Amino acid sequence: MRVAQIKQRLIDLASYGEKAFTPSPDARDLALSAEQWAEQAVPRARRAASRCRQAYCSAALAHDRAAWLYERLEAEGFGAPDENRLHAAHHREMAAADRQAAQDMEEAD
């Protein structure tokens, strides 16, 4: 969608430019470069979204690991049990939120 709008705008600008003056080779190169950039914008956005989803998945795994460590501390009697449970619950919630964010991004794509 957005690429089509950009292409149409470039076509409109080019037709206006042809009426106003004969574009120089540099102007044509610039228009071609802008069109190529517009066509590449969608794949670049998809790659960025993929990296973001991967980051959310990695964050979820890190929170799972932290929750497991706090549960292990509690099981082995280190630290205050209430605090360990609280920290473990917090990390489980954060892991779930990160997984949900990754899933939402995947569904939006």
Side-chain angles (χ1 to χ4, degrees), residues 8 10 23 31 104:
Q8 185 58 45
L10 288 171
D104 291 347

Side-chain angles (χ1 to χ4, degrees), residues 48-72:
S50 175
R51 286 190 301 270
C52 191
R53 279 192 302 272
Q54 290 172 352
Y56 275 122
C57 291
S58 294
L61 291 174
H63 283 295
D64 282 338
R65 177 74 174 161
W68 177 82
L69 288 172
Y70 277 110
E71 290 166 354
R72 179 114 188 239

Side-chain angles (χ1 to χ4, degrees), residues 17-36:
E18 288 173 3
K19 293 174 191 172
F21 67 96
T22 303
S24 69
D26 290 339
R28 285 189 190 117
D29 290 343
L30 187 59
L32 180 60
S33 174
E35 185 176 334
Q36 289 171 344

Side-chain angles (χ1 to χ4, degrees), residues 9-19 21 23 31:
R9 181 70 177 137
L10 288 171
I11 291 168
D12 294 345
L13 289 172
S15 66
Y16 174 76
E18 288 173 3
K19 293 174 191 172
F21 67 96

Side-chain angles (χ1 to χ4, degrees), residues 3 6 33-52:
V3 172
I6 292 170
S33 174
E35 185 176 334
Q36 289 171 344
W37 186 90
E39 288 174 354
Q40 294 170 0
V42 171
R44 277 195 303 263
R46 287 195 175 139
R47 284 191 302 270
S50 175
R51 286 190 301 270
C52 191

